[in-house]
Amino acid sequence: DIQLTQSPSFLSASLGDRVTITCRASQGLNRYLAWYQQKPGKAPNLLIYAASTLQSGVPSRFSGSGSGTEFTLTISSLQPEDFATYYCQRVDSYPLTFGGGTKLDIK
Amino acid sequence: QITLKESGPALVKPTQTLTLTCSFSGFSLSTSEVGVGWVRQPPGKALEWLAVIYWNDDKRYSPSLRSRLTITKDTSNSQVVLTMTNMDPVDTATYYCAHRHAAAPGPGALDYWGQGILVTVSS
């Protein structure tokens, strides 16, 4: 099965910072990757699909890029509500594996 | 407006079978391309994809749990049921059901999620 490795696992940043989270796949996914945000005690929220397509209602400070085996999620200017855990997910074929997550907290 | 909600027992004993129901509204599982999936999350750990069922009754499972999982749909009652046999304490997790994003390419992006249900496995 394809494995997804997110880096870093933990990230401390300040309000207004630009941050980038990476998701690496053990085999090529073309552009079949999704990103989610999850806050404590809440269900995940879809941010990005097809590697770079912003889900409706998601602020434009979020962006995704990449293809094949390396993907990135970028937040251009951190807002207080962005401190959360982020997950990537392969959406090309089964099993629809998630990455291990990146916890973003306030520095 | 799409909504989903999970229901089932909060506590099961080891070796028992867990049955979870996902009740949804705002879409129909008889409509082409529609799917409902299940994802779980042990306390403090990452998300784990479990299974998905589509409008045409195509079903897919996590390979590591395939022998223990069954997913079915009741289209007329707008429900999807997930059963997991031989429950173990390591299966303690919050279980989520979610709607497959119909406009996204590929089988998997999930755009609407239930609130989740915490299932504890303990004697």
Side-chain angles (χ1 to χ4, degrees):
Chain A
D1 292 344
I2 291 179
Q3 306 301 316
L4 297 181
T5 303
Q6 288 184 234
S7 60
S9 299
F10 299 93
L11 179 58
S12 291
S14 302
L15 292 175
D17 281 356
R18 178 185 180 91
V19 299
T20 298
I21 298 168
T22 298
C23 179
R24 289 187 174 87
S26 57
Q27 297 177 45
L29 303 178
N30 199 337
R31 292 179 58 80
Y32 291 95
L33 190 97
W35 289 96
Y36 300 84
Q37 176 193 67
Q38 187 181 32
K39 296 181 179 178
K42 300 295 186 181
N45 180 48
L46 178 66
L47 299 174
I48 302 276
Y49 62 91
S52 61
T53 303
L54 199 65
Q55 170 67 355
S56 176
V58 174
S60 59
R61 62 181 179 274
F62 291 92
S63 64
S65 65
S67 66
T69 61
E70 186 156 332
F71 301 85
T72 58
L73 172 70
T74 299
I75 310 172
S76 60
S77 178
L78 276 175
Q79 300 302 302
E81 59 268 30
D82 300 338
F83 293 95
T85 301
Y86 293 85
Y87 293 94
C88 59
Q89 182 198 21
R90 67 172 293 204
V91 292
D92 61 321
S93 188
Y94 308 95
L96 300 170
T97 311
F98 288 90
T102 295
K103 185 175 182 180
L104 175 58
D105 65 12
I106 300 174
K107 184 184 288 185
Chain B
Q1 179 190 2
I2 290 176
T3 64
L4 304 96
K5 186 173 183 179
E6 307 85 355
S7 60
L11 179 66
V12 297
K13 291 181 167 52
T15 76
Q16 286 187 336
T17 294
L18 171 67
T19 299
L20 295 174
T21 300
C22 176
S23 301
F24 57 84
S25 63
F27 65 94
S28 172
L29 252 178
S30 61
T31 301
S32 182
E33 304 301 322
V34 172
V36 172
W38 286 91
V39 174
R40 73 177 179 179
Q41 185 173 38
K45 295 189 177 181
L47 301 169
E48 179 182 14
W49 179 79
L50 298 178
V52 63
I53 189 166
Y54 296 100
W55 83 101
N56 59 358
D57 211 35
D58 186 16
K59 305 168 186 178
R60 306 292 178 133
Y61 297 99
S62 166
S64 63
L65 294 168
R66 186 192 312 273
S67 63
R68 299 173 53 207
L69 292 174
T70 303
I71 190 169
T72 60
K73 62 182 174 71
D74 180 348
T75 304
S76 58
N77 287 311
S78 296
Q79 292 181 330
V80 169
V81 175
L82 182 76
T83 61
M84 181 179 292
T85 61
N86 194 25
M87 292 293 284
D88 183 271
V90 300
D91 297 313
T92 293
T94 297
Y95 288 76
Y96 296 99
C97 63
H99 171 269
R100 176 203 174 227
H101 194 318
L110 301 166
D111 57 352
Y112 292 91
W113 293 64
Q115 64 190 23
I117 181 170
L118 176 61
V119 178
T120 301
V121 184
S122 175
S123 55

